[in-house]
Amino acid sequence: MTTARVVTVFKDTYLDSVLQLMGTRAMESLPDVRWAAAAMATDANLDSLRARGFADEALDGCGPADLFVAVEAVDEDAANTAVAAAREAMFAARSVRQGAQQTELRSMDDAVRAQPESNIAIISVPGEYAALEAHKALAHGLDVLLFSDNVSRQDEIELKDHARARDRLLMGPGAGTALLGQVGLAFANVVRPGRVGVIAAAGTGAQEAMALLDRWGAGVTHVIGLGGRDLNEDIGGRMAKQAIEYLVADERTEAILFVSKPAARAVAHDVLSRAGGTPLVAAFMGADQDLDVPVGVRVRDTLEGGVVSVLGVLDIAAPDTTATAGPSIPEVIARLDPRRVAIRGLYSGGTLCYEALVLLGRHFGPVHSNTPVDKSLGLPAPAGSSVLLDLGEEEYTRGRPHPMIDPQSRVDFLEDLADDPSIAVIVIDVVLGYGSHPDPAGVLAPVCAKAMAAGGPQVVAYVLGTEGDPQGFRGQVDTLVDAGCIVTSTAARAALVAAAIAARDPALASVAL
């Protein structure tokens, strides 16, 4: 059977992983395509193309700043058709129609001229260019969601000072989620209007907070992302202060939920003191219980605890967070060989992985990770250890889409782990919303069912989302339950249910948070 291989290179062209995946999916959807990829021309990606038989001369001179589209098809015409489909899918958003002419947008100035009514810019370019583009956007009077990583600390400080001087928001660097005026930005969930404003120095932490607030009846006014470093000592909470001021001034916001990993103590006190008379709950995961906070500010050390505390402020009754769907914990424990005692976590959400590490370290025992809370528990881990992986980290996304966008990396892990005789339980998060895969549970459920049916590790899953999300929350939960998974009410409970199964102690699933 013959195969035509065609590769097209777009020199000095950067597209983020979402657009790369759109190009890949556009090609894969065509009937005569056998394999396809749109990606940046990193060394690892070029090596992969050569291993598949793509000619060296077609890749000569390519580098990490170049984009390639590669396709294997039944013949050259089918391959060229696929390349054209990828080009259309990836670049359509970069051009606008002005009269009878289609104009490609190549700069921030081009974009502002084409859309003068815009009031926010989303920036996703390589880190070395990101600060300049963000400064341009601020100079045009735009709020900025800076999706890009690899921006220096000094650039972050200068950008946030620039934003404050113009009374604008600079969300980021590395800000993956926001909701302003009920408009979701980047990875965001569809939530009902409500009474709580969320500030987050954690992307999937923001999504967990907004999803729970929606599902539990409080609703959301705004979600303002900060980037993960804003509460560090050198950044000094520059944008956190601005965000609190915005929400305090917003007449619809009756309470504020602040989501973060532990903050520098002096910065935390300074930032939280800005709330004035607006009730504020700080969900600082793993924070010291004696953290010095202003009077009236409540501190909780899990996402679930933070949301429940905000509900209390608003006199809304919290649901039973220990409720699960699917088989019972004793039923799952009864299926396991007694030699299976370890936990594996395959997380797409970095904040959810961090929260799970905190809870398992407190209630289960040592857990290793590529992003350990206890730096002595890094990788590689000794044989038989419990391990949680944040698969959104660079070592797992280099040259491939983020696992929230494409679940295939977790499918591969699940298939490999099914044969490990030491593993009792695998924990997975399924993150819904804009930007995420259209049916992640549908991709993951069959491989979960296969692993469990073969006498392998059992699967505990958490679905982060709402009924308004394009994937549909209830349908995703039902798909996983039908596969035999236990599905929990919160991300924190998924970690605790995993501990209960691995330790053969059902009471662990119900500890107070």
Side-chain angles (χ1 to χ4, degrees):
M1 181 170 59
T2 60
T3 297
R5 293 181 175 86
V6 171
V7 60
T8 299
V9 177
F10 300 88
K11 298 293 290 183
D12 295 320
T13 300
Y14 174 84
L15 295 181
D16 64 32
S17 58
V18 174
L19 293 174
Q20 293 171 31
L21 186 62
M22 289 173 61
T24 300
R25 286 179 178 163
M27 293 186 286
E28 290 176 338
S29 67
L30 298 177
D32 293 329
V33 171
R34 294 173 178 153
W35 177 88
M40 302 307 295
T42 62
D43 289 344
N45 285 341
L46 295 178
D47 288 345
S48 296
L49 290 182
R50 294 186 180 100
R52 295 193 68 92
F54 286 87
D56 275 343
E57 55 266 27
L59 307 174
D60 193 36
C62 290
D66 305 323
L67 174 75
F68 71 78
V69 174
V71 60
E72 296 176 356
V74 297
D75 57 39
E76 192 164 331
D77 285 345
N80 287 329
T81 297
V83 170
R87 184 198 297 262
E88 173 65 22
M90 294 187 298
F91 294 116
R94 291 176 47 151
S95 61
V96 294
R97 183 167 294 281
Q98 295 179 309
Q101 186 174 2
Q102 195 80 7
T103 302
E104 186 171 359
L105 306 179
R106 302 291 298 181
S107 70
M108 183 62 64
D109 291 337
D110 287 346
V112 171
R113 281 193 293 269
Q115 293 185 181
E117 72 281 5
S118 297
N119 57 13
I120 189 164
I122 302 175
I123 296 175
S124 179
V125 298
E128 60 265 37
Y129 310 114
L132 176 60
E133 295 305 313
H135 278 299
K136 289 180 182 178
L138 291 169
H140 281 292
L142 304 176
D143 292 315
V144 174
L145 180 78
L146 185 52
F147 194 84
S148 304
D149 284 317
N150 300 315
V151 175
S152 74
R153 290 175 178 273
Q154 186 57 41
D155 280 337
E156 180 173 350
I157 290 169
E158 292 174 1
L159 281 168
K160 289 181 172 177
D161 285 344
H162 185 180
R164 284 188 67 82
R166 293 181 178 272
D167 196 26
R168 297 290 92 194
L169 292 173
L170 190 288
M171 296 173 282
T177 298
L179 181 87
L180 300 180
Q182 294 303 303
V183 176
L185 306 174
F187 293 99
N189 299 91
V190 180
V191 296
R192 72 189 76 183
R195 304 160 65 186
V196 182
V198 178
I199 301 170
T204 46
Q207 289 189 262
E208 171 76 328
M210 65 196 293
L212 294 180
L213 288 166
D214 174 89
R215 298 205 312 255
W216 295 350
V220 176
T221 57
H222 306 280
V223 178
I224 300 175
L226 304 175
R229 301 185 303 210
D230 195 75
L231 297 185
N232 289 2
E233 191 168 354
D234 55 343
I235 310 299
R238 279 171 161 78
M239 198 45 49
K241 298 171 190 175
Q242 180 104 335
I244 289 177
E245 291 167 8
Y246 270 42
L247 294 181
V248 167
D250 178 38
E251 62 184 17
R252 295 174 300 164
T253 299
E254 298 177 30
I256 298 171
L257 176 61
F258 199 126
V259 174
S260 178
K261 296 173 184 177
R265 295 177 70 88
V267 174
H269 187 278
D270 183 22
V271 166
L272 299 177
S273 67
R274 306 296 174 112
T278 302
L280 188 151
V281 176
F284 286 176
M285 288 162 288
D288 295 335
Q289 294 299 311
D290 62 347
L291 186 68
D292 179 26
V293 296
V295 174
V297 173
R298 305 183 187 190
V299 177
R300 303 296 294 270
D301 61 359
T302 63
L303 296 167
E304 175 188 313
V307 176
V308 168
S309 190
V310 167
L311 295 182
V313 168
L314 300 175
D315 292 325
I316 298 173
D320 176 9
T321 64
T322 66
T324 61
S328 68
I329 294 171
E331 180 183 349
V332 169
I333 290 173
R335 298 173 185 168
L336 288 174
D337 185 298
R339 292 170 293 183
R340 293 186 175 277
V341 294
I343 298 172
R344 288 290 186 277
L346 303 176
Y347 282 88
S348 62
T351 312
L352 306 188
C353 184
Y354 186 94
E355 180 184 47
L357 286 166
V358 169
L359 289 170
L360 291 175
R362 185 179 300 161
H363 298 290
F364 175 72
V367 179
H368 290 257
S369 178
N370 63 320
T371 57
V373 175
D374 179 345
K375 301 307 179 186
S376 69
L377 295 174
L379 300 180
S385 299
S386 292
V387 177
L388 301 188
L389 296 177
D390 173 5
L391 296 177
E393 282 292 297
E394 184 179 0
E395 64 265 33
Y396 296 110
T397 58
R398 191 178 295 116
R400 67 186 306 167
H402 191 282
M404 284 166 54
I405 301 170
D406 184 0
Q408 185 58 47
S409 63
R410 289 200 287 177
V411 169
D412 297 340
F413 271 104
L414 282 162
E415 291 175 340
D416 290 342
L417 294 175
D419 296 327
D420 188 328
S422 69
I423 300 175
V425 58
I426 299 171
V427 189
I428 59 172
D429 60 340
V430 178
V431 181
L432 312 183
Y434 292 120
S436 293
H437 189 275
D439 183 20
V443 175
L444 294 167
V447 68
C448 292
K450 183 178 179 182
M452 291 186 286
Q458 302 299 293
V459 178
V460 174
Y462 171 62
V463 178
L464 190 170
T466 72
E467 282 301 335
D469 286 331
Q471 300 87 349
F473 174 75
R474 180 48 53 189
Q476 294 286 295
V477 170
D478 290 345
T479 295
L480 292 163
V481 169
D482 290 345
C485 303
I486 294 181
V487 181
T488 63
S489 299
T490 72
R493 292 296 163 186
L496 293 172
V497 168
I501 294 169
R504 279 46 170 197
D505 181 3
L508 286 175
S510 302
V511 299
L513 294 179

